[in-house]
Amino acid sequence: MSLKRNIQDLRKRKIEAQKGGGDVAIEKQVAMGKLTARERILYILDENSFHEYDLFVEHLARDFDMDKKVLHGDGVITGTGTIYGLPVCIYAQDFTVAGGSLGLMHARKITKIMDHALKMRVPLIGINDSGGARIQEGVNSLAGYGEIFFRNTIASGVIPQISVILGPCAGGAVYSPALTDFVFVVENISKMFITGPNVIKTVLGEEISMEELGGAKVHCEISGNAHFYARSEQDCFEQIKKLIDYIPRNNTEKAQKKEPREPLKKYNIDNIVPSNPRYPYDIKDIIKSITDGSEFFEIMEMYAPNIVIGFGRLDGKTCGFVANQPKVLAGVLDCDSSDKAARFIRYCDSFNIPIITLEDMPGYLPGVDQEHMGVIRHGAKILYAYSEATVPKITVIIRKAYGGGYIAMNSRHLRADFVFAWPTAEIAVMGPEGAANIVFRKEIMEAEDPEAMRKQKIEEYKEKFANPFVAAAKGYVDQVIEPSETRSMLLHALDVSENKSVQMPRKKHGIPPF
Ligand code: HXC
């Protein structure tokens, strides 16, 4: 064959191999409002940057008439490309080919690109649209998933791993995402479950729709399995690009520094916190009054909204924000908000992202439900995550810092590098009302006018303890600052912390309260 004919043959083979599951299956995919696997990859990556590998891989299954079936690319597209000019590794399961189910060669394509991502120290993006382990390939499919889970775990904390759920994902197709750093879901399209409605009906006799069982909202609001919610696939891909722009490529680098910008004037830090300490406000307004361009990229917005986490930039540098939200449950710490914050703190620590903590909360949530759900264990996760984090850690106490919450929210005692407090800060074992009722119970009961006595004692307590100066006098707070000084104090603290270096005792790993 001449070179010309060789090239023609290659081109024909490529076109054939890129057909996916064929026209009928693709029409079905489109009718469901879904893009194809290839369209998804091309949308996420920079134009003309996608380089595909293993296009000609074929499945090896022979049982159940599988030898008669052609599964193009074995149901998954893998390759490399760039996002904003920086390299990433990517794979997208193709639901049009045997439901994107995972057989041996399908798994090998994924593990090959995972190994590549880890070796090259670049982010990995996995687009999951799969019915899970390919039933016809039996234990080979399970082995394939095991190999993926192992790699997800080994790569954790070394390279960013991003999962996108873009179809009905079952079994192994959701456990791999669960091991990755960030999970993206799309309204009406994403479904995640270990066992689908059919199995539930067979085993439990219960009817439930895929949406109710594991739709996008379920995982963003209730289970906490997903971190980003999008209204369309395109919206989801834009969010992924934004995330990639905030984070470093691997754990040996820092995030790229951007051009510094001032916050927008409309977020005036002096006007956000109400003068009555009982009134709520939106902590995100405070974050936006501090960050470059008032931009804040929130993570897990719909889950445990009593704590807010996400990325913003200060002087062009990416920072992770952990902030109590007084607007929801007074910003209290509970099982879910502790889980949410602790995981994010560990992410920032793994990837050299300084953590800024904004504190205004009345402590841990009391109640039988919380105790029985394990608030001791879950709450301890924040203590653990902050204590072991060695990235720059800066705290600003805005209002309430009571009890265990004061310690947990990156206090000096957990090795915060800088602790600033506004003059409105109240740092105490508990709130003035509760404290006065306990400490002065006898005086209040025996007073001629118990109500007047209670008020007087509350005022006395506030005067004495519910302010930042007692903590400042002990050096637990480094400086009491005016709200308008917050950004400049943070910028300076970040500059000073640029080369922070902490040696922890040598150990294999700790045992966090998982
Ligand atoms: C082989 C599969 C498949 C699978 C789907 N297909 N899942 N083939 N193995 N696991 C095939 C279907 O036979 C069908 O082929 C095509 O994909 C499309 O599937 P449909 O059922 O028509 O699509 P839909 O109605 O949208 O339903 C999607 C679904 C459903 C909810 C994902 O297919 C489903 O419940 N699949 C099984 C899910 C599951 O239990 N997986 C195993 C999990 S155990 P044709 O040829 O008809 O087009 C697992 C082990 C690892 O993953 C666990 C690790 C912890």
Side-chain angles (χ1 to χ4, degrees):
M1 235 196 283
S2 68
L3 177 61
K4 202 171 159 202
R5 284 192 54 199
N6 276 332
I7 291 172
Q8 274 171 353
D9 177 57
L10 170 65
R11 287 182 183 166
K12 227 174 89 191
R13 283 170 185 265
K14 273 191 176 171
I15 290 168
E16 180 63 22
Q18 289 181 354
K19 266 188 178 164
D23 294 343
V24 175
I26 291 173
E27 268 168 35
K28 202 175 152 195
Q29 175 97 345
V30 173
M32 285 191 284
K34 293 161 69 178
L35 296 173
T36 64
R38 195 166 295 278
E39 286 169 339
R40 288 166 172 168
I41 289 181
L42 296 182
Y43 201 109
I44 295 179
L45 299 179
D46 294 339
E47 215 175 332
N48 297 325
S49 75
F50 181 50
H51 290 67
E52 184 171 359
Y53 311 119
D54 289 339
L55 175 64
F56 301 116
V57 160
E58 289 174 12
H59 75 86
L60 302 175
R62 294 292 168 260
D63 298 329
F64 304 105
D65 286 339
M66 285 295 282
D67 47 341
K68 299 193 185 84
K69 284 195 178 161
V70 177
L71 301 181
H72 291 303
D74 203 10
V76 63
I77 303 173
T78 61
T80 55
T82 60
I83 293 179
Y84 298 129
L86 295 175
V88 296
C89 288
I90 192 163
Y91 71 85
Q93 292 178 309
D94 186 348
F95 195 81
T96 68
V97 179
S101 58
L102 183 134
L104 180 67
M105 295 310 288
H106 178 124
R108 282 205 186 144
K109 282 179 74 169
I110 294 177
T111 52
K112 192 167 161 186
I113 205 69
M114 292 176 86
D115 289 342
H116 210 63
L118 185 59
K119 194 162 55 182
M120 306 308 172
R121 297 289 194 265
V122 299
L124 175 77
I125 301 172
I127 301 176
N128 299 268
D129 189 357
S130 165
R134 186 174 297 152
I135 296 159
Q136 299 91 325
E137 294 201 35
V139 72
N140 269 339
S141 316
L142 300 179
Y145 266 126
E147 294 290 333
I148 292 173
F149 301 160
F150 177 78
R151 283 167 176 80
N152 284 135
T153 308
I154 299 307
S156 177
V158 183
I159 52 167
Q161 298 184 78
I162 293 168
S163 296
V164 198
I165 309 295
L166 290 180
C169 289
V174 291
Y175 265 130
S176 169
L179 290 165
T180 64
D181 306 328
F182 299 109
V183 177
F184 288 74
V185 289
V186 176
E187 191 175 78
N188 296 327
I189 290 178
S190 311
K191 317 274 185 279
M192 298 168 78
F193 33 76
I194 296 300
T195 48
N198 292 344
V199 179
I200 290 185
K201 194 169 174 207
T202 314
V203 178
L204 303 171
E206 288 171 16
E207 294 262 9
I208 187 160
S209 71
M210 273 204 246
E211 190 65 35
E212 282 174 298
L213 181 63
K217 271 233 164 82
V218 167
H219 290 299
C220 285
E221 284 177 358
I222 303 171
S223 73
N225 286 327
H227 303 87
F228 293 97
Y229 183 85
R231 298 214 178 278
S232 67
E233 294 199 25
Q234 285 84 349
D235 173 25
C236 170
F237 302 147
E238 291 306 325
Q239 290 186 32
I240 292 170
K241 290 198 232 182
K242 206 166 172 183
L243 173 65
I244 287 279
D245 203 33
Y246 269 109
I247 58 180
R249 280 184 301 179
N250 60 55
N251 67 343
T252 64
E253 294 182 5
K254 289 186 178 174
Q256 283 202 319
K257 192 172 184 287
K258 303 282 168 169
E259 201 54 42
R261 280 179 298 153
E262 286 299 309
L264 303 181
K265 292 231 162 20
K266 74 171 180 171
Y267 295 101
N268 182 346
I269 200 164
D270 287 325
N271 298 339
I272 297 169
V273 179
S275 46
N276 185 335
R278 288 172 163 274
Y279 287 0
Y281 61 93
D282 190 347
I283 195 71
K284 290 181 220 173
D285 288 340
I286 302 256
I287 296 174
K288 289 174 186 168
S289 73
I290 296 170
T291 54
D292 288 13
S294 296
E295 282 174 7
F296 178 55
F297 188 51
E298 191 172 354
I299 301 165
M300 297 183 93
E301 188 177 349
M302 295 150 88
Y303 182 77
N306 39 327
I307 207 153
V308 171
I309 57 171
F311 297 121
R313 291 192 181 92
L314 285 172
D315 210 21
K317 297 173 201 161
T318 295
C319 296
F321 282 84
V322 179
N324 308 119
Q325 174 58 287
K327 233 173 65 162
V328 182
L329 295 170
V332 78
L333 289 175
D334 57 7
C335 294
D336 292 346
S337 61
S338 300
D339 280 6
K340 174 176 164 179
R343 194 167 187 274
F344 181 63
I345 292 161
R346 295 195 100 201
Y347 183 85
C348 292
D349 190 43
S350 293
F351 289 99
N352 312 311
I353 297 172
I355 302 165
I356 294 174
T357 304
L358 302 179
E359 181 169 2
D360 186 350
M361 53 85 240
Y364 281 98
L365 181 63
V368 178
D369 278 358
Q370 284 293 309
E371 296 292 349
H372 287 189
M373 278 166 67
V375 70
I376 298 172
R377 174 165 49 91
H378 293 285
K381 291 178 191 175
I382 296 206
L383 299 170
Y384 194 103
Y386 270 127
S387 298
E388 73 166 355
T390 57
V391 287
K393 301 186 287 189
I394 309 165
T395 301
V396 182
I397 304 174
I398 293 170
R399 241 174 24 177
K400 299 183 193 82
Y402 295 157
Y406 155 73
I407 306 168
M409 291 301 289
N410 193 37
S411 60
R412 161 69 13 87
H413 325 295
L414 305 188
R415 300 298 177 269
D417 298 300
F418 297 93
V419 180
F420 305 123
W422 288 11
T424 43
E426 299 172 14
I427 305 167
V429 172
M430 63 175 74
E433 285 80 6
N437 281 342
I438 295 169
V439 180
F440 306 113
R441 191 164 54 118
K442 218 160 149 228
E443 283 105 313
I444 293 171
M445 266 171 52
E446 287 168 3
E448 246 176 57
D449 182 347
E451 219 22 66
M453 179 61 89
R454 188 191 323 273
K455 278 196 179 127
Q456 182 195 324
K457 290 296 175 193
I458 287 172
E459 282 315 307
E460 269 177 39
Y461 180 88
K462 273 190 194 163
E463 191 91 342
K464 207 162 174 49
F465 293 116
N467 62 65
F469 298 104
V470 180
K474 307 272 187 309
Y476 300 147
V477 164
D478 298 310
Q479 189 59 286
V480 182
I481 61 170
E482 295 179 26
S484 61
E485 293 175 299
T486 307
R487 181 171 151 95
S488 62
M489 294 300 275
L490 289 174
L491 293 183
H492 181 68
L494 284 169
D495 272 350
V496 173
S497 316
E498 188 68 33
N499 295 323
K500 180 181 173 186
S501 167
V502 173
Q503 292 304 317
M504 301 292 259
R506 280 175 67 87
K507 57 180 161 182
K508 190 171 173 191
H509 52 66
I511 301 132
F514 279 163

